[in-house]
Amino acid sequence: MSLNRYEQTIFDYWDKQPDERRHWMAKVAEMTRAQSAAEAARPLERELWDYLVERREHVPQLRDPGLQGLPRVSLLNLAEHVLRLWGPPPKPRKPAERS
């Protein structure tokens, strides 16, 4: 999985901020309780965007001059990545029946 520089910056920030990381781990768990990981990806991506917009005002590491003035940057790869990392394990496939 390849993350763009904004996604990677957020992910790296969470490595240094355990409280933030725990918050997002709990959010992923909550979101995947009610829906599948595939269904949760888009809503999570929207929450990540809101988070980036809010936090970049207060966290120098998340301020990026290239992001100023951009209408929107996709954070879908990050959403899918954390859903794979912190979401429930996929259900095992049933073995194919042999004739």
Side-chain angles (χ1 to χ4, degrees):
M1 163 100 18
S2 176
L3 302 177
N4 66 38
R5 69 181 184 181
Y6 308 108
E7 293 167 322
Q8 188 65 54
T9 300
I10 293 169
F11 196 75
D12 292 343
Y13 173 69
W14 289 343
D15 278 343
K16 295 177 180 122
Q17 301 296 325
D19 290 340
E20 296 274 341
R21 184 182 182 103
R22 274 192 296 275
H23 167 79
W24 285 99
M25 289 174 86
K27 186 167 286 290
V28 165
E30 177 185 323
M31 291 181 90
T32 54
R33 241 181 257 125
Q35 55 196 342
S36 72
E39 295 169 330
R42 286 284 176 195
L44 181 59
E45 192 268 346
R46 286 188 288 275
E47 288 196 38
L48 287 167
W49 175 257
D50 293 341
Y51 168 77
L52 176 60
V53 169
E54 188 271 328
R55 294 302 292 155
R56 72 179 177 201
E57 300 287 324
H58 309 286
V59 179
Q61 185 178 359
L62 298 178
R63 284 187 207 130
D64 186 316
L67 197 56
Q68 304 302 327
L70 284 180
R72 186 106 162 46
V73 173
S74 175
L75 301 175
L76 187 58
N77 286 345
L78 178 59
E80 291 172 347
H81 183 61
V82 297
L83 284 165
R84 282 190 199 110
L85 285 176
W86 303 330
K91 294 180 182 176
R93 294 183 182 186
K94 293 181 183 179
E97 292 184 26
R98 294 188 179 191
S99 302

